[in-house]
């Protein structure tokens, strides 16, 4: 099995893979120093292993990505670099027939990515979407995060007198 490496590039020429029989596979690793995810969110050091599988309609890309993002902890407001992982699976359909050069109808689903007229498959948008999914909405700097709970003073628990009998039963069991 031969693995091709892409360094700061996401474009793969898949013309030979589109001519290959269904079930043919190609393997790639992708490394990006930087990937803009949104106007205020950027990923660094993105690494992905990608398997391209020829299907009857086009190409299925599957794999795993690892990404680093600079974030702020929602508990203690500490800034930190978090490393996150996500598996992915996406379809890519050609826009031009590989044998005739004639345009093909668009994919039936808007979630399916397309392969351009030069038979270039661009992984960038797919990696961007899955990198966003990998990054948590509420990042926490780690299991030792003190969080806001350390700032709160806990009051003694007040047990309702009507439930005191039940509490005594629970205390006896423990």
């Amino acid at each position: 099995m031969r693995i091709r490496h892409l360094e700061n590039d996401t474009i793969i020429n898949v013309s030979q893979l589109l001519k290959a029989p269904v079930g043919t596979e190609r393997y790639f690793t992708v490394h990006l120093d930087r990937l803009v995810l949104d106007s205020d969110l950027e990923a660094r050091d993105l690494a992905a292993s990608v398997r391209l599988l020829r299907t009857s309609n086009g190409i299925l890309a599957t794999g795993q990505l690892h990404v680093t993002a600079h974030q702020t902890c929602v508990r203690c407001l500490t800034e930190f670099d978090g490393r996150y992982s996500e598996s992915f699976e996406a379809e890519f359909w050609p826009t031009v027939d590989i044998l005739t050069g004639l345009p093909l109808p668009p994919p039936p689903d808007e979630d399916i990515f397309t392969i351009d007229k030069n038979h270039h498959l661009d992984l960038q948008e797919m990696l961007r979407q899955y990198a966003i999914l990998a990054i948590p909405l509420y990042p926490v700097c780690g299991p030792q995060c003190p969080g806001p709970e350390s700032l709160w003073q806990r009051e003694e628990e007040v047990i309702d007198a009507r439930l005191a009998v039940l509490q005594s039963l629970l205390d006896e069991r423990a």
Side-chain angles (χ1 to χ4, degrees), residues 133-152:
L133 288 176
I135 297 171
L137 290 175
Y138 302 106
V140 177
C141 61
Q144 303 303 321
C145 176
E149 293 88 16
S150 64
L151 304 174
W152 300 337

Side-chain angles (χ1 to χ4, degrees), residues 39-82:
S39 60
D40 60 343
L41 185 60
E42 181 178 289
R44 291 180 290 108
D45 194 28
L46 183 139
S49 57
V50 182
R51 176 182 148 234
L52 299 181
L53 173 69
R54 175 69 167 109
T55 65
S56 59
N57 295 324
I59 295 174
L60 178 67
T62 58
Q64 183 85 16
L65 70 86
H66 307 281
V67 64
T68 301
H70 188 74
Q71 299 188 292
T72 303
C73 179
V74 294
R75 290 185 185 165
C76 65
L77 302 179
T78 302
E79 292 187 3
F80 69 99
D81 285 337

